[in-house]
Each structure stands twice: as C-alpha cells, then as structure tokens.
C-alpha cells in the first residue's frame, strides 16, 4: 500500500476526497492498463506487418533521457537561447508577474526586441556558460532560434512571442519522460516550437514524450480586474490565495515544480493553478507524489529562486520568502540553508525576476555547483558546505528572467529513482 503524503494546507475533508479519488483513479487506471495490454498482446500475435513490429518495439536500454532529482551527476543538458528575445506585450498576466517600476518598459517595448546591446552581452554570457559545461564533460543541446516578433492569433487572443531562453520553464524531465508544460502567458503559447527538434530526437531514441493539455488562454483564464497597485497589494492577495490565473482550465509552468526522487514539490503561483497541479498529480501517480508547498511571497512565479533543492536532504530556502511547511522538511531530517543576501546592484535591470537569482544555481553533482561569478557571498556559503563552485558571469542573462537553473533543463543525470522522505 502506497503511503500518501500531502503537504497542502486545507480541510481534512478535502484531503480525504483527494485520497479516495486517487485510490479509485488507480483502480480504474489499472483496469485500463490491463485491458490495453491484453488487447495489444492479442493484436501483436496476429499482426505480421513490419510497420506494426517497428511501432511496438521496446524502449532502448540506452535512452538518453533519465533524471530524477536536481543533484545527481549531470551528463546532458539543454541550455536556452537569448537570440531574438522579445519583450512580451503588457497584458494582465504580465502585469501581475512584474514590478511597477518596469511597467512603463513593457508598455513601450512590448512586441519589440529587448535592448540590442544588452541582448548581445547576454548571448555571449550563455555561450561561455555552454563552453564551461562542455569542458566539465557535459553534453549541451540548444533549442532552435525562432522569430519571436511574429504576431500570431488564435480564436481567443493575439500576441507576439517572447523567447526560448528558459527551458526549465517549459520542460520537466521525470525519469525517462519529457513533459511539455502548457504555460500561462499568451506570449509563451508557441514557445515549445523551439524545442521540438530536440524532443523528437530524444523520442526517437526511446524517451517518453508528454504534452500537457494546451490551454485556450481565453479571457476566462485570467482575473481581468486583478487589483495590483503596490507590493502591499501583492502581499494581501497572495495571503488570501488570490492569483491572476483562475481555475478556468489547467495551466502551469514547469519551473514551479522541483524534484527530489519520488517526491515532487510545487507551488500554486501566478502561472500555475490547482487544475494544472492536479493534472500533474494524476499523470505521475502512483510512482511519484506531488506535494503543494507555499511561501510568504508577494509575487509567486517559479519555485527555484525561492526553494532550491541542492542535494539529498539539503535545500536552499529564501529568507525573504519563507516556506510555510518548512518544519515538515526539518522533521524528515533535511538541512535547511538560508542563502546570503544577493550582491547584485539595485540599478541592474531585472525586468522579469528578483535579485534572488543568486540562489538559482545548477548542481553538476553533489559536490559541484555552477554559481554567478559576482555573487561571492553565496560562493563562500557553498565552499563552507564542501561544495566546489564553478563561477560564470551571467549578469546580463539574469535580466531576461533567470539564473543557471532557469537557463537549463537537465536531460540526463547518472542516478536511480529513490525516496528521500520515507
């Protein structure tokens, strides 16, 4: 019997309903699987077509996709591109995820390129980051450059694109499966196209490939009157559990999930709703347990600059955005580390992120971490933990909304599926 844990706040009645629903779901799922398998076996025994034989061939043992956590030895990774990055149009969901001092920037430049000189420096920084990863013996894959300035239209909205800079936002690897997130910003609706060539290659080599239900992103998905005027407003709304995204249809960004073997943690945020989380919970059950955790965060969007798991039983927890369920980790024997205050200057543009990208690091293994060359305080913290730092400067790349964890999606880590909470 699988022991189910849920870190989500809420009524016992809701938890019981979820537990009963999940058990019934497993019974139904098992029946469907058995029926499918018996039907498949019967079909295979009578079918001599070469194409059918090819279609039902087993998954190769040397599948290149395999990753269960954030710290096993990294062997292959996707690194994003800053080329052709465009400022997203200033829609309600963008307003809810950015700070007031940058609203004029979005209103003026939405649909146009980010500042060319800044973008050129960001591109150079990421190229150097790729070179360093390769020197560390890691295979690096890159998405295709796409023209993000092209205007597109669906039956529900029209927009221009943004970029293919942050693969962590759109791709989640769980075991040998690549899951494409549906996203929540209209400017990111077609972002998946930049990664399709790579994902098809992985699929042809044996990986599982899942695309979550694509939302319509109709007006009903967003609270069109979301009342943001100040940081105080954000705090009040977050405390009340109010977000710009509604429960009209499932949506989530992959970067709101963080992995620790059989346990995967997620936050309800401005871009990830409960329907999206429930879709992931059902999709990954029973092999994985998806837990909702929450933070004192006025603008929740992506978990990895707030709560970054860096090793078995080791997590970085943002002191400005404390986790409400942190005692559950401590009781499980985990060490919770409060990273030092970031050193990034106040006048450095961070159009889509906070200074806490300093803790948005990439673990190459349990004893090596890629960290910003300018953040000497956090470098010292890692060294005191016995973790060697690989220093890379990505200050201008930070401005586009991500640190090392955001700019990458680990495809293969050398390790096995384990439980760290039993």
């Amino acid at each position: 019997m699988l022991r189910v844990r849920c870190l989500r706040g809420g009524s016992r009645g809701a938890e019981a309903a979820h537990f009963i629903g999940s058990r019934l779901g497993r019974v139904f799922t098992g029946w469907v699987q058995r029926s499918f398998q018996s039907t498949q076996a019967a079909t295979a025994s009578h079918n001599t077509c070469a194409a059918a034989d090819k279609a039902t061939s087993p998954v190769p043992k040397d599948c290149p996709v395999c990753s269960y956590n954030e710290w096993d030895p990294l062997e292959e990774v996707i690194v994003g591109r800053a080329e052709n990055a465009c400022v997203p149009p200033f829609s309600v969901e963008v307003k809810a995820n950015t700070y007031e001092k940058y609203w004029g920037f979005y209103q003026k430049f939405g649909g146009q390129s980010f500042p060319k000189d800044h973008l050129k420096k960001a591109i150079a920084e990421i190229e150097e980051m790729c070179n360093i990863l390769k020197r560390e013996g890691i295979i690096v894959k890159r998405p295709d450059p796409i023209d993000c300035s092209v205007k597109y239209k669906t039956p529900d909205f029209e927009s221009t694109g943004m970029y293919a800079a942050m693969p962590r936002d759109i791709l989640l690897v769980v075991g040998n499966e690549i899951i494409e997130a549906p996203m929540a910003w209209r400017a990111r609706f077609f972002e998946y196209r930049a990664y399709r060539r790579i994902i098809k290659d992985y699929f042809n080599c044996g990986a599982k490939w899942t695309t979550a239900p694509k939302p319509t992103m109709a007006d009903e998905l967003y609270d069109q009157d979301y009342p943001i005027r100040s940081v105080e407003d954000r705090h009040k709304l977050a405390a009340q559990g109010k977000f710009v995204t509604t429960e009209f249809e499932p949506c989530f960004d992959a970067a709101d999930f963080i992995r620790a073997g059989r346990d995967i943690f997620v936050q309800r945020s401005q871009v990830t709703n409960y329907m999206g989380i429930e879709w992931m919970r059902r999709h990954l059950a029973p092999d994985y347990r998806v837990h909702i955790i929450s933070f004192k965060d006025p603008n929740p969007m992506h978990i990895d600059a707030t709560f970054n798991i860096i090793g078995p039983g080791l997590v970085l927890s943002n002191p400005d955005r404390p986790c409400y369920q942190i005692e559950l980790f401590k009781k499980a024997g985990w060490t919770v580390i409060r990273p030092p205050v970031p050193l990034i200057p106040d006048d450095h543009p961070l159009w889509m992120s906070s200074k806490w990208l300093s803790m948005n690091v990439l673990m190459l293994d349990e004893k090596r971490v890629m960290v910003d060359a300018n953040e000497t305080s956090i470098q010292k913290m890692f060294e005191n933990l016995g973790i060697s730092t690989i220093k890379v400067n990505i200050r201008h790349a930070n401005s586009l909304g991500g640190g090392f964890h955001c700019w990458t999606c680990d495809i293969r880590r050398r390790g096995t599926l384990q439980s760290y909470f039993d």
Side-chain angles (χ1 to χ4, degrees):
M1 180 184 199
L2 176 66
R3 180 170 59 181
V4 177
R5 297 186 182 187
C6 184
L7 306 189
R8 171 165 50 89
S11 69
R12 292 182 180 177
E15 294 298 339
H18 172 77
F19 176 77
I20 293 168
S22 67
R23 295 301 299 270
L24 290 173
R26 287 177 205 160
V27 172
F28 179 76
T29 300
W31 177 81
V32 171
Q33 288 175 337
R34 289 192 297 274
S35 300
F36 174 76
Q37 288 166 356
S38 62
T39 303
Q40 187 182 47
T43 303
S45 65
H46 293 90
N47 195 341
T48 58
C49 176
D53 289 342
K54 182 177 179 181
T56 58
S57 60
V59 174
K61 293 181 179 179
D62 57 349
C63 175
V65 177
C66 188
S67 182
Y68 297 107
N69 56 49
E70 311 292 337
W71 64 81
D72 278 340
L74 183 62
E75 296 182 338
E76 186 163 341
V77 68
I78 298 175
V79 178
R81 288 188 180 276
E83 288 88 342
N84 305 326
C86 287
V87 179
F90 191 59
S91 52
V92 63
E93 73 275 17
V94 173
K95 180 180 180 182
N97 284 275
T98 54
Y99 286 99
E100 185 177 4
K101 68 177 181 178
Y102 293 120
W103 288 351
F105 172 83
Y106 285 97
Q107 289 170 322
K108 182 177 181 180
F109 297 108
Q112 303 177 46
S113 172
F114 280 95
K116 295 290 188 181
D117 289 343
H118 194 105
L119 211 53
K120 183 177 180 180
K121 292 174 182 176
I123 291 169
E125 289 170 352
I126 298 304
E127 288 296 331
E128 178 59 15
M129 173 184 164
C130 290
N131 292 335
I132 291 171
L133 286 167
K134 291 173 185 176
R135 288 200 294 269
E136 294 293 327
I138 297 164
I139 297 171
V140 174
K141 299 293 181 70
R142 310 293 303 279
D144 294 329
I146 55 175
D147 185 354
C148 300
S149 66
V150 174
K151 180 174 285 190
Y152 49 82
K153 184 176 182 179
T154 79
D156 298 288
F157 70 91
E158 62 180 57
S159 182
T160 49
M162 195 162 84
Y163 52 36
M166 311 294 168
R168 188 77 58 175
D169 294 359
I170 193 169
L171 302 176
L172 180 68
V173 174
V174 181
N176 70 341
E177 180 179 15
I178 301 175
I179 300 172
E180 277 185 32
M183 312 302 286
W185 282 19
R186 289 171 166 177
R188 308 190 77 173
F189 188 85
F190 287 111
E191 194 167 317
Y192 67 88
R193 296 176 64 251
Y195 300 93
R196 279 296 172 89
R197 171 186 53 83
I198 301 175
I199 298 175
K200 284 190 290 185
D201 287 345
Y202 287 136
F203 176 76
N204 290 332
C205 291
K208 293 175 67 177
W209 173 16
T210 300
T211 60
K214 198 69 177 172
T216 62
M217 297 189 183
D219 287 347
E220 292 87 345
L221 180 58
Y222 312 101
D223 180 352
Q224 300 293 334
D225 300 314
Y226 195 66
I228 293 180
R229 293 174 299 276
S230 66
V231 173
E232 288 73 22
D233 287 337
R234 293 175 183 268
H235 274 292
K236 290 177 183 177
L237 291 165
Q240 296 168 7
K242 294 182 179 179
F243 307 90
V244 71
T245 47
T246 69
E247 299 297 327
F248 175 70
E249 57 191 346
C251 67
F252 64 85
D253 283 11
D256 269 326
F257 295 80
I258 199 155
R259 304 159 304 152
R262 291 195 181 276
D263 293 276
I264 297 174
F265 299 93
V266 61
Q267 67 171 349
R268 202 313 183 184
S269 76
Q270 301 286 19
V271 293
T272 296
N273 64 11
Y274 289 120
M275 285 188 73
I277 294 170
E278 184 59 23
W279 184 90
M280 280 288 284
R281 192 197 298 273
R282 296 183 196 180
H283 177 72
L284 293 172
D287 294 324
Y288 299 90
R289 300 171 292 227
V290 176
H291 311 282
I292 299 176
I293 56 178
S294 56
F295 308 90
K296 186 180 180 181
D297 186 353
N299 188 42
M301 179 184 177
H302 301 167
I303 199 170
D304 47 5
T306 298
F307 203 75
N308 199 355
I309 298 174
I310 61 172
L314 194 63
V315 63
L316 299 182
S317 183
N318 190 322
D320 281 358
R321 304 196 282 262
C323 177
Y324 290 122
Q325 295 82 13
I326 199 64
E327 289 302 319
L328 295 169
F329 289 84
K330 293 179 179 179
K331 288 178 181 178
W334 281 57
T335 300
V336 179
I337 300 169
R338 292 161 55 98
V341 175
L343 302 177
I344 190 166
D346 290 336
D347 60 353
H348 187 78
L350 290 171
W351 296 301
M352 287 185 285
S353 55
S354 74
K355 290 184 176 184
W356 285 102
L357 288 177
S358 59
M359 63 176 282
N360 189 265
V361 296
L362 178 68
M363 302 303 297
L364 304 193
D365 54 43
E366 288 185 41
K367 295 298 179 183
R368 289 183 301 160
V369 61
M370 183 166 278
V371 64
D372 195 287
N374 304 283
E375 294 290 342
T376 55
S377 297
I378 202 166
Q379 292 168 24
K380 185 176 180 180
M381 181 206 77
F382 279 115
E383 289 160 5
N384 289 338
L385 292 170
I387 299 173
S388 299
T389 56
I390 298 168
K391 306 171 184 65
V392 186
N393 178 19
I394 60 166
R395 269 287 189 263
H396 293 86
N398 284 160
S399 299
L400 299 181
F404 297 103
H405 199 251
C406 298
W407 277 93
T408 59
C409 175
D410 44 299
I411 291 297
R412 187 171 65 257
R413 289 183 181 271
R414 191 171 63 254
T416 57
L417 179 60
Q418 299 182 44
S419 178
Y420 302 94
F421 284 86
D422 288 336

